[in-house]
Structure formats: structure tokens, C-alpha cells
């Protein structure tokens, strides 16, 4: 097996994503654009998306990171709009887009058109969260988009399986389709509920951080595979487990949390970068199979489908936002929305790698194995153009659109005040607990060490309040920036001395690593106290 193309993909996509952080262009868009450009260079190998790799090996960890970073409480508070988008909209888009393609393309069976509708129905979890993080959407809109993107893949994959069974002649019925959908949904949730408790028990009872991080990396794959084994939704199983683990992460020891955060950030960065680069690199593969639809006809189909996909989301989002408000109970509980929020939600429906992976899983032939699947190459092409179109057109215009609509900025002063009050309450509880412990002779400490504990606690409490103060009039730095800079300068001076002592053979490398790790933890603590 030639690993060089894989290494080039990972290294190249990671480099481009790092460069994108220094530009105003969101990383997903730059990666897709570079992938498209590189795909036309002679000698570049084909990077064909394999659904047997993307769905069970790439999708679970991406869903896991997105779900653990989400808030279970926020998602529960926005359950109605999330469900209307992740289930209602996906099914609506499947039928509307499928019917539109059926009317556009001569001789295309309705079942095959519905397969395409299910393929392009779900906005992509990676695209939605990547762009939402970059543009700074209001928290409620971000929660809705994240919640939708976490759950809609399950709806789309199930709808695709039902439509595909009908298209290839396996005798699917409406009753059977509804039954399969319910089995996938309920089974996926049940699988997640069954797995989350023992996994969390292991995380809290095994004290070896290295083993806990190994378990963390395996968790999304285990959840996905276990659910799929019983024909349930692996996507829902992964999301349920990840939401629970993220909600109860405070029960895990600090070493595990620190390591997990670093490991999963790296995993998400590499996978997200590679996924968007792969989208652009599919161009030669898709174009080679286009055949009779090359030229103006294919371009017309692509533009028409893109417009239908975008319009269908607007047609669904606005009624789904305002019709529930006919209920007096909902009007009492929730503030009245403006037209701006639904507009951004409707415009943020970028498609991504999941749609392409599902499209590539369409079989070459029908159930009898002799007749080719109708218009498979055209479906692949239209999936590709829809993904590229939504990422480029909507992804590029979303940041200026949000600026143009002038959403209220986050009240950082109020957030810092709330953080300071929370820290003050926690500090008082910690101080009371320390006083209780010091009354026990088994916890006797020399006075300087007891005072040090109180000083550290006071510094942690005051650090947040100091953030409400004014910037340094000379340097322009805030108080916490100055504290962090001076702390790092002191630690750097210590680090240089330790290295010189090692070079002079006064201490060995093992002792140097111990001392440097201690300084690293001190530096991390100084950064976190003021971050």
C-alpha cells in the first residue's frame, strides 16, 4: 500500500488550514479551493472518497468532538427548532429536491431522484461548526445549527437507505420505510444510552490518564459500530454518548481533561482539514464519469439543483420559526424572533463530505446485478456541485451577511462579571473547606504552606475581577495580559538556567524533563488563571 498520497493529503491540508487562520477566508473554503486547483495538476493521484472509510472512521470522531463541545442544556432548551431542522427539514428537502430533479431529468425514476434528495438533504456538521466558530454567530443560532448538524445525518442516512431500497428493487414500502426510520432513531438513542454509563464509569474509576485517553479515542468508533451492528443509527449513538460525557466531564480527573483537550483538538484539526481538501480533490473522479451530460446541460442541472436546495431551506425555516408561535404557551416562554435569525439559519445550510460519501456509496447496478443504477454519474456530479456551491457561495457570503445584519454583540463585560461572581462563590466554598480541613490534626501544615494555599486561592479569585479593570496606559495591555507576560518571562529565565545546568552535566536529562514539566504546568496555570 502506497502511503505517500495519504501523507501528502494530511500534511498539505494541515498546512493550508494553518495558513487560513492568518487570512480572512474560512479554512474550509480555502481547503476546498486548493483541492480543486490541485486536482487539475498532472500527476496528482486520485483521492476517491470511500464511504466505507468516511462514514465509520471519519464521521464518528468529528461528531464526537462537535457533541462534547456542545451544551446538553442549551440543546435541550432549543429542542424544538433543532428537531424541526434535523428531522423535519431533512425529510422535506429529500422530497422537494428529489421531485425537482425528477421533473428536470428525462427518464430519471422518482426513486432514484429521491436517493439524490436524501444525499444532499443534510447540512454538514463540520462545515456548520467550522464557519459558525469563525463568524461569531449569536449563541442561540450557533446552538441550533450545531444541534441540527449533529442529528441530521442520522435522518438523511436512514432516508437514503429507504429510497435506495426502493430504487434498486428491494421492495421497500412506506410502512417498511417508517419502521426502518423508527428503528434507526430509537435504536441509535437506546444504544447511546446503554453505552454511556459504563464508558463514563470506566473514565471515572480508572485513574491512569493514558488509558482514559485511549478509551476516549475509541469511544466514538465503538458507539457507531455497536449501533450499526443492530441496524440502528450509529450517528445518534455517537452523539448521545458524547453529549453525556461532555456534560459529566467535570467528574474526570484534571490530567485526563488536559490531555483529552489537546488530543481531540489535534484529531479534529487533522480530520477537518483533510475532509475539506478531499471534497475539492473529487473533481477529476466526478467529471470522468459524467459521460452524456458533459457541457451546458450538466451546468444547467447543477445551477437548477443548487437554487432548489437553497430555496427549499428558506421555504422550511421561516414557517418552522414563526408557525409554532401561534401557540400562546410558546409566546409566553420565548422572546419574539426577528426575520434576521431565520435568514442566517436558512443561509447557513452548507453541505459537506457526508453528502459526497453517501453519494459514492450508491451501487453501480440495481438489485438484479445487470442493469446499471439510473443516472448514477449524474447524481454524483450534482452532489459534488451542490456541495461546492453551498460551501463557496454561502460560506463566502455568510460572514459579510452577519456583519450586514448587525446582530447584537456579546456583552463581554456582563459575561466577565458573571464569571467573577461564580469564582467568588467557589472561592468562599474552598476557603471554608480549607478551614475545616486545617482543624484536623491529620492535615496539619506549616503556616507558610497554609498561607500559600490561601494566596493561590485569592489570586484566582482576583484575576477575574481584574479583567474588568482598565488597560495599562503605557503598553495598552490588560492586567491579565501583563501578568501572563511577566509570568512567562520569569519561567523562561528559570528554564534557561535548568538547560545550562544540564549542559554542564550538573543535572541529567531525566531531571531536566522533570523540572521542565513542572515549569510547563506552572505556565499553563498562569495562562488559564487569566485566560
Amino acid at each position: 500500500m502506497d502511503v505517500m498520497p495519504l501523507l501528502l493529503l494530511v500534511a498539505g491540508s494541515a498546512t493550508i488550514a494553518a495558513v487560513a487562520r492568518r487570512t480572512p477566508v474560512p479554512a474550509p473554503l480555502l481547503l476546498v479551493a486548493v483541492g480543486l486547483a490541485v486536482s487539475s495538476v498532472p500527476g496528482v493521484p486520485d483521492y476517491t472518497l470511500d464511504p466505507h472509510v468516511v462514514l465509520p472512521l471519519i464521521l464518528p470522531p468529528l461528531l464526537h468532538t462537535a457533541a462534547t463541545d456542545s451544551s446538553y442544556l442549551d440543546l435541550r432548551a432549543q429542542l424544538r427548532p433543532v428537531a424541526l431542522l434535523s428531522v423535519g427539514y431533512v425529510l422535506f428537502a429529500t422530497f422537494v429536491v428529489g421531485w425537482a430533479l425528477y421533473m428536470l431529468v428525462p427518464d430519471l425514476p422518482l426513486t432514484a431522484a429521491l436517493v439524490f434528495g436524501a444525499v444532499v438533504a443534510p447540512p454538514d456538521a463540520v462545515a456548520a461548526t467550522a464557519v459558525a466558530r469563525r463568524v461569531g454567530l449569536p449563541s442561540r443560532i450557533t446552538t441550533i445549527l450545531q444541534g441540527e448538524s449533529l442529528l441530521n445525518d442520522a435522518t438523511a442516512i436512514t432516508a437514503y437507505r429507504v429510497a435506495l431500497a426502493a430504487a434498486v428493487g428491494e421492495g421497500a414500502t412506506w410502512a417498511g420505510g417508517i419502521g426502518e426510520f423508527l428503528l434507526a432513531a430509537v435504536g441509535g438513542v437506546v444504544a447511546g444510552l446503554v453505552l454511556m454509563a459504563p464508558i463514563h464509569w470506566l473514565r471515572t474509576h480508572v485513574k491512569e490518564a493514558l488509558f482514559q485517553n485511549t478509551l476516549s479515542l475509541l469511544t466514538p468508533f465503538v458507539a457507531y459500530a455497536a449501533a450499526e451492528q443492530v441496524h440502528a443509527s450509529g450517528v445518534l449513538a455517537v452523539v448521545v454518548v458524547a453529549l453525556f460525557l461532555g456534560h459529566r466531564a467535570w467528574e474526570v480527573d484534571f490530567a485526563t481533561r488536559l490531555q483529552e483537550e489537546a488530543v481531540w483538538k489535534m484529531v479534529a484539526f487533522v480530520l477537518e482539514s483533510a475532509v475539506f481538501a478531499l471534497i475539492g480533490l473529487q473533481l477529476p473522479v466526478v467529471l470522468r464519469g459524467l459521460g452524456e451530460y458533459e457541457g451546458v446541460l450538466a451546468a444547467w442541472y447543477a445551477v437548477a439543483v443548487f437554487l432548489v436546495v437553497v430555496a427549499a431551506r428558506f421555504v422550511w425555516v421561516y414557517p418552522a420559526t414563526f408557525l409554532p408561535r401561534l401557540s400562546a404557551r410558546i409566546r409566553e416562554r420565548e422572546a419574539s424572533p426577528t426575520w434576521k435569525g431565520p435568514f442566517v439559519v436558512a443561509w447557513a445550510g452548507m453541505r459537506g463530505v457526508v453528502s459526497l460519501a453517501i453519494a459514492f456509496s450508491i451501487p453501480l447496478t440495481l438489485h438484479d446485478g445487470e442493469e446499471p443504477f439510473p443516472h448514477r454519474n449524474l447524481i454524483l456530479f450534482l452532489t459534488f456541485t451542490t456541495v461546492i456551491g453551498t460551501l463557496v457561495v454561502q460560506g463566502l457570503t455568510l460572514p459579510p451577511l452577519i456583519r450586514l445584519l448587525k446582530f447584537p454583540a456579546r456583552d463581554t463585560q456582563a459575561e466577565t462579571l458573571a464569571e467573577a461572581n461564580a469564582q467568588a462563590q467557589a472561592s468562599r466554598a474552598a476557603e471554608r473547606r480549607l478551614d475545616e480541613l486545617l482543624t484536623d490534626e491529620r492535615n496539619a501544615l506549616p503556616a507558610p504552606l497554609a498561607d500559600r494555599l490561601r494566596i493561590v486561592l485569592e489570586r484566582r479569585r482576583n484575576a477575574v475581577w481584574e479583567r474588568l479593570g482598565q488597560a495599562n496606559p503605557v503598553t495598552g495591555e490588560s492586567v491579565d495580559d501583563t501578568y501572563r507576560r511577566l509570568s512567562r518571562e520569569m519561567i523562561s529565565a528559570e528554564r534557561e538556567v535548568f538547560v545550562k545546568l544540564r549542559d554542564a552535566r550538573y543535572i541529567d536529562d531525566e531531571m531536566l524533563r522533570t523540572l521542565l514539566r513542572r515549569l510547563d504546568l506552572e505556565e499553563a496555570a498562569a495562562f488559564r488563571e487569566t485566560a
Side-chain angles (χ1 to χ4, degrees):
M1 178 183 177
D2 189 2
V3 298
M4 186 55 68
L6 179 61
L7 293 176
L8 290 173
L9 171 67
V10 173
S13 57
T15 302
I16 295 163
V19 170
R21 295 189 172 198
R22 300 177 178 271
T23 72
V25 181
L29 305 183
L30 188 59
L31 285 160
V32 170
V34 173
L36 286 169
V38 170
S39 67
S40 61
V41 175
V44 173
D46 286 344
Y47 289 91
T48 305
L49 273 175
D50 185 351
H52 300 296
V53 172
V54 173
L55 295 180
L57 296 181
I58 294 181
L59 185 59
L62 290 177
L63 286 171
H64 181 85
T65 55
T68 51
D69 285 343
S70 301
S71 166
Y72 161 72
L73 296 177
D74 287 346
L75 285 175
R76 190 177 65 179
Q78 305 299 334
L79 185 60
R80 187 190 71 253
V82 167
L84 285 171
L85 286 171
S86 59
V87 179
Y89 166 70
V90 170
L91 296 178
F92 175 76
T94 297
F95 284 103
V96 169
V97 176
W99 182 264
L101 189 65
Y102 170 68
M103 300 300 292
L104 275 173
V105 180
D107 304 323
L108 178 68
L110 179 59
T111 51
L114 290 175
V115 168
F116 172 73
V119 165
V120 298
D124 187 62
V126 182
T129 52
V131 175
R133 284 196 302 262
R134 182 66 180 262
V135 299
L137 288 170
S139 58
R140 182 175 185 273
I141 297 177
T142 302
T143 298
I144 291 172
L145 288 175
Q146 286 180 333
E148 176 199 10
S149 62
L150 287 173
L151 303 173
N152 60 9
D153 289 335
T155 307
I157 291 172
T158 305
Y160 162 77
R161 288 172 178 170
V162 174
L164 183 65
V168 300
E170 293 184 351
T173 64
W174 284 104
I178 294 172
E180 182 172 350
F181 181 84
L182 292 176
L183 172 64
V186 176
V189 172
V190 170
L193 293 174
V194 169
L195 289 170
M196 67 185 190
I199 291 175
H200 182 65
W201 185 89
L202 280 173
R203 283 164 53 81
T204 54
H205 284 77
V206 178
K207 300 304 180 184
E208 177 55 52
L210 191 60
F211 174 80
Q212 289 176 333
N213 277 276
T214 304
L215 175 65
S216 177
L217 286 173
L218 290 175
T219 294
F221 302 107
V222 170
Y224 186 93
E228 291 291 325
Q229 194 68 28
V230 295
H231 306 291
S233 171
V235 170
L236 285 178
V238 171
V239 170
V240 169
V241 172
L243 282 174
F244 180 80
L245 296 182
H247 188 64
R248 304 291 290 271
W250 61 273
E251 297 179 15
V252 180
D253 69 271
F254 78 96
T256 297
R257 284 196 301 274
L258 289 174
Q259 287 188 20
E260 273 189 355
E261 182 181 7
V263 168
W264 277 111
K265 276 186 177 180
M266 181 272 295
V267 170
F269 175 74
V270 171
L271 289 181
E272 287 181 11
S273 304
V275 157
F276 286 110
L278 274 172
I279 291 174
L281 289 168
Q282 299 311 296
L283 180 61
V285 179
V286 172
L287 290 181
R288 273 201 302 270
L290 197 52
E292 62 181 293
Y293 294 103
E294 289 180 355
V296 178
L297 186 60
W300 153 242
Y301 287 154
V303 171
V305 167
F306 171 77
L307 293 175
V308 170
V309 167
V310 173
R313 189 162 173 89
F314 278 90
V315 170
W316 178 267
V317 167
Y318 272 95
T321 301
F322 291 102
L323 286 180
R325 297 194 58 75
L326 295 175
S327 165
R329 185 178 178 185
I330 290 177
R331 289 198 303 271
E332 291 172 3
R333 283 203 321 250
E334 300 176 7
S336 180
T338 66
W339 64 272
K340 295 180 180 180
F343 193 92
V344 170
V345 170
W347 193 245
M350 286 80 70
R351 271 57 176 178
V353 71
V354 172
S355 291
L356 276 174
I358 298 173
F360 275 103
S361 70
I362 297 173
L364 296 173
T365 62
L366 298 179
H367 192 54
D368 56 15
E370 298 178 2
E371 247 186 285
F373 190 94
H375 303 277
R376 181 181 186 272
N377 292 330
L378 177 63
I379 290 174
L380 284 177
F381 173 75
L382 293 178
T383 303
F384 178 80
T385 55
T386 302
V387 170
I388 296 295
T390 55
L391 281 174
V392 173
V393 175
Q394 294 175 297
L396 277 177
T397 56
L398 188 58
L401 173 67
I402 291 171
R403 288 194 293 269
L404 181 66
L405 293 178
K406 295 181 180 178
F407 283 97
R410 294 175 60 177
D411 190 344
T412 54
Q413 191 84 350
E415 290 177 1
T416 304
L417 186 60
E419 181 186 353
N421 282 321
Q423 181 64 64
Q425 292 182 46
S427 296
R428 285 194 293 270
E431 208 161 14
R432 287 195 299 270
R433 181 59 177 155
L434 178 62
D435 291 337
E436 291 173 7
L437 291 170
L438 291 178
T439 58
D440 190 333
E441 61 181 15
R442 292 174 300 178
N443 299 320
L445 272 180
L449 288 180
D451 291 341
R452 183 181 177 186
L453 287 174
R454 290 192 170 88
I455 290 170
V456 170
L457 184 61
E458 184 178 0
R459 188 177 68 183
R460 193 156 54 235
R461 178 172 57 229
N462 292 339
V464 187
W465 289 108
E466 287 166 356
R467 248 190 284 160
L468 294 168
Q470 299 297 318
N472 187 314
V474 179
T475 64
E477 291 179 324
S478 63
V479 173
D480 56 322
D481 285 336
T482 303
Y483 176 87
R484 187 185 304 132
R485 179 170 55 81
L486 296 181
S487 176
R488 283 179 167 172
E489 290 289 344
M490 293 169 60
I491 290 172
S492 294
E494 289 185 78
R495 193 175 284 126
E496 289 176 8
V497 170
F498 289 147
V499 172
K500 287 179 181 177
L501 292 174
R502 189 276 314 268
D503 293 343
R505 293 291 188 265
Y506 185 79
I507 60 175
D508 59 19
D509 280 282
E510 185 177 352
M511 185 175 292
L512 174 67
R513 283 191 290 269
T514 300
L515 293 168
L516 290 183
R517 176 169 173 74
R518 197 173 296 159
L519 286 181
D520 290 342
L521 291 173
E522 288 283 346
E523 188 170 2
F527 179 82
R528 287 178 179 276
E529 283 171 10
T530 57

